[in-house]
């Protein structure tokens, strides 16, 4: 690790070398490792040490942006020159007001030394435990175990000066038992929180239960969606409409709906970058502290997230949701929460006369942003529920459905939640999920 | 650089690796975009480093770093071997590589106009001109134009004696018009969606698409879609426009022929494949007129190169021959399992990623129709194109795509424009119903720069040569059937 002092020293050189009216320098530097396994052996095993130094130069209302992964003086000078030259040759952006001004940043603990230092032999040992448990259960394992650390810092000429170091660990597995498949995933800031045995049991049990799936006719079914599937829906909603840029451009489902009911009253979604139940980070890519934003409150469209560009355009303050780069994508919430309920998954199944149990989705994609219409396939554990019981595995189904409409028909929400890479979510039971096709396995 | 590559390879040999290679890569990217008459982003990036890949104790290890120094090369070489030995600690079948001849030389694709030498003002001016024309159509709320350029300089050296230098310049551009009315958003793009079209070429490729000359038409088509009726839901003949068909080839042919997927090593992420080895040489993938090749040798192809990232020469390989599945995209490791030599499809997304089996240019060979003849010959059908969304199951069988535009065809003539068109099917049934393919004059090699695969994620630059084609008995309009069910 370079450490705070050295990282900020690099960024301050950028500020020193730049003659633009305003300059922002940010850096991501770190190491990451990933051990990948399939057919119950390790087939890929990689390590990466990399950095990205980004410079945003502002001249009047003209903006230039350049990045490099070289951190010597010559490279720093060169990337600054490039950003400034791009700004000089650019055209004015009348909507640009300013880079953000500094605000106090609350310290949060995002770094775990053992996670940063976990080596290839350590990863192999965890993978070996998972594979061994899978074999005991009668399944073959594929998946990954990753760990690493990242230092991230931002300074700008208005006084922003922010530094954070964070760690991440992830264990993900797809297990196969004859024609059955199962899935489990765990993410954490601390590698010690990952449990290969419980992941193996979860995925292998479902794989064994999933053997010899039967074909059922597509149509509308009640569904019990595990948190893996629910997270994908919540993150897709964020992509379609929780950004101020999407609202400003009129392409968000939130447009014209603020204060109105857009889902059932039992749906509340917020983003809170500081909440340690998720994967927190203290500030965004512009060095602005993270603020909680209540996006949908009891089904009512309430608010969206801002970066400095979209906020200043409306005379507001950034909520700390810049994701960096030249800003073209707009702001994005990265630590989302869907409010849990008081049910259990067993209760959801028990209350279903006829329905489908879905472990997770595959290859989802948006068909219509305003209708929040999306399609995709079920994957790694799809079962038929009849008279309150899971009765048989079914061949994977294609769905074509509206997320907001489904979130308007949620009957039960689980008490327990899962921490995903982007969101902390419960399982849900929803009425009338639209399956529009079926595949052969 | 030869001193550094020799140092790395000597080091891994001494540490016990049975095979090793090193790639040193420098990549420069320039990205320009305008939105609503403003310059949205002017972005330049440079990125360089090296990656060392080894086989030790019969297993793979890889370590990479941004610092191209002797000390860091030593450190990464040691770590790569240590990682391989850790991989080997779990019971496994030892890695065996199909033979490949060592190669030596420097190779560079020729371009006419270096995009990095064209003044920024000239490039911005072209984008703003197109952007401004788009917004003259009142219904347009978002106008966008963009260009992207890459230059990749790579050295590959291996313990088997290869030392290959390659230089490649790639260019691409496109425009988008988004029309908005109450409760409706519709988009048209040109020449393709998601950034346009891309090629291994210089700035001349961008100029040839005439973004400015097409801006007004694209904007008016987006506006027209706002009031267009919903695409009906039924089963009929479908004629696909080139860029849409390129993605259809990509998803339903390109991915399932990747032999690593077939052997299950992508099972946990992208999935596997229905094209299992016992189908090789006998499975009827498409109708008799369907011929598909994987051709990495075509000048200008975004998936073209001289040598892949294992040092195997670029090749043109038969994939589908008169409808029969006959070939895979392979690596040295996977080809060996089938007793073959590699088809040269291993490519990495930069110095910090290992090579994976990636598409080259997966091309549907031209037929002998014209688009006009196909339409005239269709009693009831749909002519649809330009990608909105795509989705396919993890064995690449059940797919569903949405297109930006779709025109009704009735009694051999194009009729009304429909919005929100979708179509769905099962891969081999769909290709089995292909009964007309347009000829060479309408064949174009499309470039897709964002094919995702692998963990950690990698984006590959690939190509798909296609001419418009017709498919019978396709289920269209999945979205409308849903609206009907609400009523």
């Amino acid at each position: 690790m370079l450490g705070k002092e050295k990282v900020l020293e690099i960024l301050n050189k950028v500020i020193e070398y730049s003659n633009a009216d305003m300059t922002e320098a940010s850096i991501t530097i770190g190491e990451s490792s990933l051990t990948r396994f399939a057919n119950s052996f390790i087939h890929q095993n990689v390590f990466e040490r990399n950095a990205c130094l980004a410079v945003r130069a502002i001249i009047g209302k003209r903006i230039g942006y350049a990045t490099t992964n070289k951190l010597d003086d010559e490279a720093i000078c060169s990337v600054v020159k490039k950003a400034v030259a791009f700004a000089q040759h650019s055209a004015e952006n009348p909507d640009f007001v300013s880079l953000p001004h500094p605000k106090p940043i609350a310290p949060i603990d995002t770094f775990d030394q053992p996670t940063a230092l976990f080596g290839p032999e350590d990863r192999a040992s965890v993978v070996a435990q998972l594979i061994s448990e899978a074999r005991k259960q009668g399944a073959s394992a594929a998946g990954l175990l990753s760990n690493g650390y990242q230092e991230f810092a931002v300074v700008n000429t208005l006084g922003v000066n922010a530094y954070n170091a964070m760690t991440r660990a992830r264990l993900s597995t797809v297990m196969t038992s004859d024609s059955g498949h199962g899935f489990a995933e765990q993410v954490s800031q601390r590698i010690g929180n990952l449990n290969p045995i419980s992941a193996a049991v979860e995925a292998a049990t479902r794989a064994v239960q999933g053997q010899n799936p039967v074909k059922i006719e597509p149509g509308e079914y009640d569904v019990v969606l595990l948190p893996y599937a629910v997270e994908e829906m919540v993150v897709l909603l964020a992509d379609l409409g929780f950004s101020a840029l999407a609202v400003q451009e009129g392409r968000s489902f939130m447009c014209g709906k603020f204060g109105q009911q857009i889902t059932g009253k039992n749906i509340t979604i917020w983003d809170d970058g500081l909440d340690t139940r998720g994967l927190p980070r203290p500030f965004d890519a512009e060095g602005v502290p993270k603020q909680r934003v209540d996006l949908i409150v009891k089904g009512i469209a309430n608010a969206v997230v801002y970066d400095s560009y979209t906020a200043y355009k409306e005379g507001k303050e950034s909520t700390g949701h810049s994701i960096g780069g030249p800003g073209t994508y707009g702001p994005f919430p990265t630590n989302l929460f869907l409010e849990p309920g008081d049910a259990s998954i067993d209760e959801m199944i028990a209350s279903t006369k006829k329905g489908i149990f879905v472990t997770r989705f595959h290859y989802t994609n948006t068909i219509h942003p305003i209708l929040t219409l999306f399609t995709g396939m079920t994957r790694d554990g799809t079962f038929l529920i009849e008279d309150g019981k899971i009765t048989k595995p079914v061949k994977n189904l294609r769905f074509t459905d509206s997320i907001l409409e489904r979130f308007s028909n949620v009957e039960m929400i689980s008490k327990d939640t899962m921490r995903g890479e982007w969101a902390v979510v419960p399982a849900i039971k929803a009425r009338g999920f639209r399956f529009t096709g079926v595949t052969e396995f | 650089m030869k001193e550094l590559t020799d140092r790395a390879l000597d080091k891994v040999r001494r540490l016990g690796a049975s095979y090793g290679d090193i790639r040193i890569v420098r990549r420069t990217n320039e990205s320009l975009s305008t939105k609503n008459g403003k310059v949205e982003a002017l972005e330049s990036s440079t990125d360089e480093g090296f990656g060392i890949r080894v086989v030790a104790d019969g297993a793979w290890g890889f370590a990479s770093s941004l610092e191209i120094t002797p000390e860091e090369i030593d450190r990464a070489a040691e770590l790569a071997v240590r990682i391989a030995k850790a991989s080997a600690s779990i019971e496994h079948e030892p890695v065996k590589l199909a033979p490949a001849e060592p190669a030596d030389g420097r190779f560079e694709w020729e371009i006419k106009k270096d995009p990095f030498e064209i003044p920024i003002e000239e490039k911005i001016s072209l984008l703003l001109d197109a952007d401004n024309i788009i917004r003259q159509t009142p219904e347009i709320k978002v106008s966008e134009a963009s260009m992207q350029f890459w230059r990749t300089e790579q050295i590959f050296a291996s313990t088997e004696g290869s030392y290959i230098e390659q230089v490649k310049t790639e260019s691409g551009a496109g425009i988008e018009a988004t029309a908005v009315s109450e409760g409706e958003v519709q988009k048209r793009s040109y020449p393709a969606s998601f950034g346009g079209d891309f090629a291994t070429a210089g700035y001349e490729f961008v100029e040839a698409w005439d973004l400015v000359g097409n801006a007004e038409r694209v904007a008016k088509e987006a506006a027209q879609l706002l009031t267009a009726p919903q695409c009906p839901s039924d089963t009929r003949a479908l004629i696909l426009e080139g860029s849409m068909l390129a993605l259809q080839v990509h998803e339903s042919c390109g991915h399932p022929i990747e032999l690593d997927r077939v052997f299950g090593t992508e099972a946990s992420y992208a999935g596997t494949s229905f094209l299992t080895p016992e189908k090789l040489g006998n499975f009827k993938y498409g109708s008799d007129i369907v011929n598909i090749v994987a051709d990495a040798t075509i000048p200008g192809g975004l998936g073209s190169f001289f040598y892949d990232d294992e040092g195997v020469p670029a090749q043109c390989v038969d994939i589908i021959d008169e409808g029969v599945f006959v070939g895979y995209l392979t690596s040295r490791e996977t080809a060996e399992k089938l007793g073959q030599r590699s088809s040269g499809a291993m490519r990495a997304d930069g110095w910090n990623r290992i090579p994976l089996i990636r598409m080259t240019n997966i091309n549907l060979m031209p037929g002998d129709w014209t688009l006009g003849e196909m339409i005239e010959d269709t009693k009831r059908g749909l002519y649809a194109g330009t990608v909105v969304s795509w989705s396919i199951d993890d064995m690449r069988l059940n797919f569903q795509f949405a297109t930006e535009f779709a025109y009704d065809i009735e009694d051999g003539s194009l009729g009304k424009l429909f919005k929100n068109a979708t179509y769905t099917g099962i891969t081999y049934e769909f290709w089995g119903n292909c009964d007309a393919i347009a000829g060479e004059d309408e064949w174009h090699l499309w470039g897709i720069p964002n094919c995702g695969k692998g963990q950690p994620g990698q984006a590959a630059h690939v190509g798909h040569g296609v001419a418009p084609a017709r498919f019978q008995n396709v289920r269209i309009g999945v979205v409308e059937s849903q609206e009907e069910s609400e009523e």
Side-chain angles (χ1 to χ4, degrees):
Chain A
M1 271 182 72
L2 284 186
K4 182 176 180 179
E5 201 176 314
K6 213 148 191 177
V7 165
L8 290 176
E9 192 183 302
I10 293 168
L11 298 186
N12 286 323
K13 277 185 194 167
V14 171
I15 302 299
E16 187 188 319
Y17 295 158
S18 173
N19 59 0
D21 297 341
M22 283 188 264
T23 304
E24 176 188 86
S26 63
I27 188 168
T28 308
I29 183 164
E31 296 183 347
S32 57
S33 299
L34 189 146
T35 296
R36 210 172 176 211
F37 48 98
N39 305 315
S40 294
F41 69 90
I42 296 173
H43 66 101
Q44 290 172 20
N45 209 345
V46 301
F47 167 88
E48 174 186 1
R49 183 163 169 241
N50 201 359
C52 180
L53 173 64
V55 179
R56 194 153 51 136
I58 321 288
I59 299 173
K61 286 179 178 288
R62 291 173 299 171
I63 306 164
Y65 182 80
T67 69
T68 181
N69 72 339
K70 291 288 166 197
L71 303 177
D72 57 82
D73 274 11
E74 194 186 333
I76 295 171
C77 195
S78 167
V79 74
V80 171
K81 275 187 186 162
K82 191 81 185 173
V84 170
F86 267 29
Q88 282 165 340
H89 293 106
S90 181
E92 287 207 338
N93 183 341
D95 290 334
F96 177 81
V97 177
S98 172
L99 291 174
H101 292 269
K103 282 184 175 174
I105 294 168
I108 49 169
D109 181 17
T110 54
F111 189 81
D112 176 54
Q113 191 80 6
T115 305
L117 298 177
F118 213 65
E121 298 82 7
D122 304 319
R123 286 193 304 281
S125 162
V126 171
V127 169
Q129 291 175 56
L130 181 134
I131 287 172
S132 165
E133 185 61 36
R135 282 206 181 106
K136 270 191 227 165
Q137 307 270 341
S140 163
L144 68 82
L145 173 64
S146 66
N147 67 292
Y149 74 86
Q150 210 170 66
E151 294 175 275
F152 179 64
V154 192
V155 303
N156 75 23
T157 46
L158 301 177
V160 165
N161 190 311
Y163 170 89
N164 175 251
M166 70 169 79
T167 48
R168 285 278 187 277
R170 181 178 168 211
L171 176 64
S172 178
T173 184
V174 167
M175 293 199 183
T176 304
S177 181
D178 191 18
S179 53
H181 303 278
F183 175 75
E185 183 165 81
Q186 300 170 359
V187 296
S188 178
Q189 279 179 199
R190 298 170 190 279
I191 197 129
N193 288 346
L194 305 185
N195 185 334
I197 303 298
S198 72
V201 169
E202 179 186 346
T205 304
R206 213 155 275 137
V208 171
Q209 288 170 348
Q211 291 178 12
N212 305 314
V214 298
K215 189 173 180 175
I216 61 163
E217 283 306 306
E220 289 189 16
Y221 289 87
D222 289 352
V223 283
V224 174
L225 302 175
L226 286 192
Y228 303 120
V230 176
E231 185 193 16
E232 197 147 345
M233 292 169 84
V234 170
V235 174
L236 196 52
L237 262 195
D239 190 40
L240 295 176
F242 289 155
S243 140
L245 188 66
V247 173
Q248 288 169 2
E249 292 179 352
R251 57 184 166 81
S252 165
F253 59 86
M254 303 280 269
C255 288
K257 302 279 187 186
F258 290 101
Q260 294 178 29
Q261 199 82 34
I262 59 169
T263 68
K265 287 181 180 166
N266 53 0
I267 298 295
T268 292
I269 299 173
W270 69 94
D271 184 80
D272 187 351
L274 303 178
D275 193 326
T276 53
R277 290 174 295 175
L279 293 172
R281 54 184 71 206
F283 54 87
D284 73 356
E286 295 181 309
V288 175
K290 289 279 179 187
Q291 280 180 36
R292 174 175 165 138
V293 178
D294 293 308
L295 302 155
I296 295 176
V297 181
K298 296 189 188 310
I300 293 171
N302 185 64
V304 291
V305 299
Y306 288 85
D307 55 12
S308 69
Y309 177 83
T310 51
Y312 288 144
K313 192 175 168 185
E314 292 182 27
K316 293 179 173 171
E317 288 293 312
S318 167
T319 56
H321 287 89
S322 166
I323 55 166
T328 48
Y329 192 78
F332 195 79
T334 55
N335 209 28
L336 287 153
F337 291 81
L338 172 61
E339 190 168 66
D342 54 9
S344 70
I345 292 171
D346 286 346
E347 286 165 357
M348 291 180 193
I349 295 167
S351 69
T352 304
K353 178 130 186 70
K354 189 172 185 189
I356 308 288
F357 176 97
V358 176
T359 298
R360 70 162 175 153
F361 297 147
H362 173 78
Y363 221 139
T364 55
N365 211 326
T366 309
I367 295 177
H368 197 293
I370 299 282
L371 301 174
T372 64
L373 198 62
F374 78 134
T375 187
M377 299 293 302
T378 65
R379 183 179 172 178
D380 299 330
T382 310
F383 298 89
L384 184 65
I385 305 170
E386 291 172 299
D387 296 324
K389 286 186 181 130
I390 287 183
T391 52
K392 56 189 87 154
V394 295
K395 291 187 175 180
N396 286 303
L397 293 154
R398 171 166 296 289
F399 56 87
T400 307
D401 202 17
S402 157
I403 300 175
L404 285 182
E405 209 182 312
R406 214 46 48 222
F407 278 179
S408 299
N409 288 281
V410 172
E411 278 184 353
M412 297 169 88
I413 303 178
S414 73
K415 189 164 60 180
D416 295 333
T417 57
M418 176 205 77
R419 171 165 49 197
E421 278 199 283
W422 299 93
V424 177
V425 296
I428 63 171
K429 181 188 167 190
R431 287 186 303 274
F433 198 83
R434 291 190 185 103
F435 292 102
T436 51
V438 62
T439 193
E440 297 183 353
F441 58 94
Chain B
M1 288 294 181
K2 184 87 168 60
E3 280 172 23
L4 290 175
T5 59
D6 284 348
R7 185 182 182 106
L9 300 174
D10 288 346
K11 183 99 184 167
V12 300
R13 263 195 218 103
R14 273 188 280 120
L15 291 167
S18 57
Y19 171 84
D21 62 39
I22 176 169
R23 283 178 306 108
I24 302 176
V25 186
R26 178 185 169 84
R27 189 154 57 178
T28 308
N29 169 243
E30 193 175 282
S31 174
L32 305 90
S33 61
T34 64
K35 189 186 262 186
N36 293 335
K38 301 183 288 260
V39 175
E40 189 189 41
L42 276 185
E43 185 179 357
S44 159
S45 69
T46 56
D47 177 84
E48 59 184 302
F50 70 91
I52 298 173
R53 188 178 71 138
V54 302
V55 177
D57 292 351
W60 288 108
F62 176 83
S64 63
S65 176
L66 71 169
E67 284 178 38
I68 309 172
T69 62
E71 299 75 26
E72 190 70 353
I73 280 191
D74 286 349
R75 193 177 84 95
E78 281 170 23
L79 184 54
V81 175
R82 186 180 147 203
I83 288 172
K85 290 182 176 176
S87 305
S89 69
I90 289 180
E91 188 187 334
H92 65 288
E93 211 176 295
V95 172
K96 286 187 198 152
L97 302 177
E101 306 306 320
D104 204 319
R106 187 178 189 282
F107 306 90
E108 180 167 1
W109 293 103
E110 276 184 28
I111 54 168
K112 289 184 183 141
K113 290 185 178 179
D114 183 350
F116 295 94
E117 295 298 323
I118 303 292
I120 291 287
E121 294 90 333
E122 185 179 331
K123 291 181 270 199
I124 290 174
S125 169
L126 189 153
L127 294 176
L128 282 174
D129 285 351
D131 190 301
N132 287 330
I133 292 170
I134 290 171
R135 271 176 306 106
Q136 284 166 17
T137 298
E139 294 88 346
I140 301 300
K141 293 294 180 281
V142 184
S143 57
E144 293 170 90
S146 63
M147 292 179 193
Q148 277 219 74
F149 309 102
W150 295 267
R151 176 160 297 136
T152 307
E153 299 154 87
Q154 171 169 304
I155 293 168
F156 169 88
S158 77
T159 50
E160 295 177 347
S162 284
Y163 189 88
I164 304 163
E165 292 179 70
Q166 294 185 82
V167 181
K168 184 172 180 177
T169 302
E170 298 160 305
S171 301
I175 55 175
E176 283 186 9
T178 305
V180 179
S181 62
E182 203 176 331
E184 190 57 271
V185 177
Q186 292 291 332
K187 187 183 276 193
R188 283 292 285 123
S189 314
Y190 172 83
S193 48
F194 299 94
D197 190 22
F198 298 82
T200 297
Y203 193 66
E204 68 279 0
F205 179 78
V206 170
E207 291 176 320
W209 275 113
D210 188 17
L211 301 183
V212 174
N214 283 278
E216 185 181 358
R217 173 184 62 79
V218 168
K220 289 196 181 314
E221 286 176 6
Q224 205 187 339
L225 281 165
L226 288 176
T227 52
Q230 182 75 25
C231 179
S233 177
D234 56 34
T235 298
R236 58 170 78 181
L238 173 69
I239 299 174
L240 287 180
E241 162 271 352
S243 69
M244 184 66 244
L245 185 52
L247 192 70
Q248 179 75 48
V249 169
H250 180 94
E251 300 290 359
S252 66
C253 179
H255 279 303
I257 60 170
E258 296 163 347
L259 194 52
D260 52 353
R261 290 182 68 114
V262 176
F263 288 148
T265 52
E266 291 294 325
S268 64
Y269 182 56
T272 57
S273 170
F274 74 98
L275 286 173
T276 41
E278 78 283 358
K279 295 190 175 80
L280 192 61
N282 56 61
F283 180 74
K284 193 74 172 147
Y285 170 94
S287 66
D288 290 349
I289 63 165
V290 175
N291 291 286
I292 294 179
V293 298
D295 188 354
T297 67
I298 305 180
L302 199 67
S304 297
F305 46 84
F306 294 97
Y307 286 87
D308 79 354
D309 291 343
E310 291 191 309
V312 175
Q315 298 160 46
C316 180
V317 179
D318 285 336
I319 300 295
I320 309 292
D321 181 19
E322 295 184 350
V324 177
F325 165 55
V326 294
Y328 284 115
L329 292 166
T330 64
S331 61
R332 292 182 64 186
E333 184 183 11
T334 55
E336 204 278 336
K337 291 179 200 289
L338 294 185
Q340 298 179 353
R341 287 175 77 106
S342 169
S343 68
M346 284 288 269
R347 288 191 294 150
D349 181 12
W351 54 268
N352 54 347
R353 295 287 180 268
I354 52 165
L356 298 173
I357 295 175
R358 306 311 301 256
M359 287 174 230
T360 54
N361 302 295
I362 311 300
N363 301 332
L364 174 67
M365 303 311 286
D368 50 12
W369 291 67
T370 67
L371 174 60
E373 286 168 355
M374 269 183 244
I375 293 167
E376 276 174 33
D377 184 63
T378 302
K379 187 148 181 60
R380 187 155 169 278
L382 196 74
Y383 171 53
T386 314
V387 180
V388 170
S389 74
W390 59 98
S391 174
I392 188 163
D393 71 42
D394 52 295
M395 287 182 83
R396 302 276 150 178
L397 282 165
N398 179 309
F399 63 82
Q400 182 168 304
F401 295 95
T403 65
E404 284 187 357
F405 74 85
Y407 288 95
D408 195 19
I409 303 174
E410 212 172 317
D411 295 328
S413 301
L414 283 186
K416 62 174 88 152
L417 175 68
F418 296 126
K419 68 178 180 183
N420 302 338
T422 51
Y423 69 96
T424 187
I426 295 288
T427 294
Y428 60 86
E429 292 172 359
F430 181 79
W431 284 102
N433 283 328
C434 179
D435 73 341
I437 302 173
E440 212 156 317
D441 290 351
E442 294 175 83
W443 194 88
H444 175 71
L445 182 49
W446 296 89
I448 297 177
N450 55 359
C451 170
K453 186 175 176 181
Q455 292 170 308
Q458 301 195 37
H461 292 195
V462 305
H464 299 295
V466 294
R470 185 175 65 185
F471 303 83
Q472 295 292 344
N473 301 317
V474 179
R475 184 180 163 205
I476 63 158
V478 182
V479 175
E480 191 190 64
S481 63
Q482 206 173 266
E483 290 185 344
E484 282 168 349
S485 68
E486 283 169 25
E487 287 166 3

